[in-house]
Amino acid sequence: MNNTKWLPYCLLAPSALFMAIFFLYPFLQIFAGAFVDSGGDVSMGNFSQIMNDFNFMPALKNTLLLTAVVVPVQLVMAIGMALMVGKMNKGRDNILYIWTIPLGISDLAAGIIWLAILEQFGFLNSFMHAINLIDGPASWLNYQNAVALFFAVAVAEIWRGTAILLVILVSGLGLIPKEYDEAGQIFGANYWQRLWKITLPLLRPSIQSALILRTLLALEVFAVVMLLGGADMPVLMSETFNWQFTYRDTGAASAYAVLIMVISVVITGFYIKLLNVPKEAQG
């Protein structure tokens, strides 16, 4: 009897210990480090230091702008792709496997792929030169072509991350009973009316989860930006890396980490408030 009572706690203990060692302790250490200056005093000095740095505003602007552009585009694409997959009777699994291939590619590998395509002597330049669209190889991935650089990073991120939303939304669509759509057809609703009034409202829990997950990943974008833009396109994570490993200033790097966390919490709260998913539908 006593063994049965403690069994759930014993089963949870390894995962709780893992989380405490590899998540909670580093989190508390970084959070405390952000509010302690080099002299060991509690202060906001680390935040003042990063905010007075010339790369802070460009990094903040690039991160938020990239998130604001990439996430909505990916959401619309993922919803469209999920609806297409949901309507397919044959070849559904094959199409789903092909569309989710980028999900198995690491950030670094995705950056290398797009660098090989978009760099000065990459595939795109070679192709355009071969068909006489350009006179010679053009360098787009630099600060002199900021729009082209941002567009390249956005395209690479959209290609790499849309599959994450797709998987979540396909699962969500599978949970919606077909009787609702059939009832809409019986009452004469066309496809778009059923989509707006039935499918998307019932898909809100999945949309909320997909938006939160993808936004958090977009705020932490690093490898793709470093490979395509390097120092020409600073983002919050690249500045965190620079302060920790280039400038050897753990306090400033911790301040960047806390800032990213605060932005993530604020945006997550916004999504929860905006979509207002009923508790009964949150699983």
Side-chain angles (χ1 to χ4, degrees):
M1 183 66 182
N2 289 334
N3 292 336
T4 305
K5 178 182 177 182
W6 289 103
L7 181 60
Y9 300 101
C10 293
L11 294 175
L12 288 173
S15 59
L17 184 63
F18 179 88
M19 293 294 289
I21 294 175
F22 294 105
F23 176 75
L24 184 60
Y25 174 69
F27 169 76
L28 294 176
Q29 190 177 33
I30 290 173
F31 192 82
F35 294 94
V36 176
D37 61 21
S38 56
D41 299 322
V42 176
S43 74
M44 299 294 287
N46 290 319
F47 291 94
S48 299
Q49 184 180 6
I50 64 171
M51 289 179 184
N52 291 325
D53 183 68
F54 69 97
N55 264 341
F56 175 75
M57 285 310 297
L60 181 63
K61 184 190 72 175
N62 287 334
T63 303
L64 295 180
L65 188 59
L66 191 62
T67 303
V69 170
V70 166
V71 174
V73 172
Q74 287 183 319
L75 178 64
V76 173
M77 289 178 61
I79 289 175
M81 294 160 73
L83 291 172
M84 290 171 63
V85 168
K87 293 292 182 183
M88 295 177 69
N89 294 321
K90 295 183 178 179
R92 177 181 183 275
D93 291 343
N94 293 332
I95 294 297
L96 198 55
Y97 289 147
I98 293 172
W99 280 348
T100 53
I101 285 176
L103 199 59
I105 299 175
S106 69
D107 294 3
L108 184 61
I112 292 173
I113 291 171
W114 283 95
L115 182 65
I117 295 172
L118 300 173
E119 67 173 346
Q120 186 171 1
F121 297 98
F123 299 127
L124 183 61
N125 263 325
S126 300
F127 173 74
M128 294 175 69
H129 181 58
I131 60 175
N132 296 322
L133 281 180
I134 56 177
D135 295 330
S139 178
W140 298 325
L141 304 178
N142 56 55
Y143 70 94
Q144 293 175 323
N145 296 305
V147 175
L149 176 57
F150 181 86
F151 182 75
V153 172
V155 169
E157 274 295 292
I158 290 170
W159 174 82
R160 186 183 65 84
T162 302
I164 299 172
L165 281 74
L166 174 63
V167 170
I168 296 173
L169 295 179
V170 167
S171 301
L173 280 175
L175 296 175
I176 299 176
K178 294 185 181 301
E179 287 79 5
Y180 291 109
D181 191 71
E182 292 171 356
Q185 293 181 46
I186 292 172
F187 283 101
N190 60 36
Y191 174 79
W192 294 107
Q193 288 173 325
R194 299 197 308 276
L195 177 64
W196 283 105
K197 300 294 184 181
I198 298 175
T199 305
L200 291 182
L202 292 174
L203 198 58
R204 271 190 304 168
S206 298
I207 292 176
Q208 184 185 77
S209 301
L211 276 176
I212 292 173
L213 179 61
R214 188 61 192 96
T215 301
L216 297 185
L217 293 175
L219 291 172
E220 298 169 3
V221 63
F222 176 67
V224 171
V225 175
M226 287 296 287
L227 279 168
L228 295 181
D232 292 334
M233 186 176 170
V235 291
L236 292 178
M237 280 303 294
S238 65
E239 287 305 297
T240 306
F241 178 88
N242 288 335
W243 279 100
Q244 177 63 40
F245 296 103
T246 304
Y247 309 137
R248 302 288 182 183
D249 191 331
T250 302
S254 299
Y256 261 110
V258 171
L259 177 64
I260 294 170
M261 183 195 71
V262 170
I263 296 173
S264 302
V265 170
V266 170
I267 294 179
T268 299
F270 171 74
Y271 286 147
I272 293 174
K273 185 73 175 176
L274 177 68
L275 294 173
N276 192 26
V277 177
K279 290 183 179 178
E280 296 78 10
Q282 293 179 5

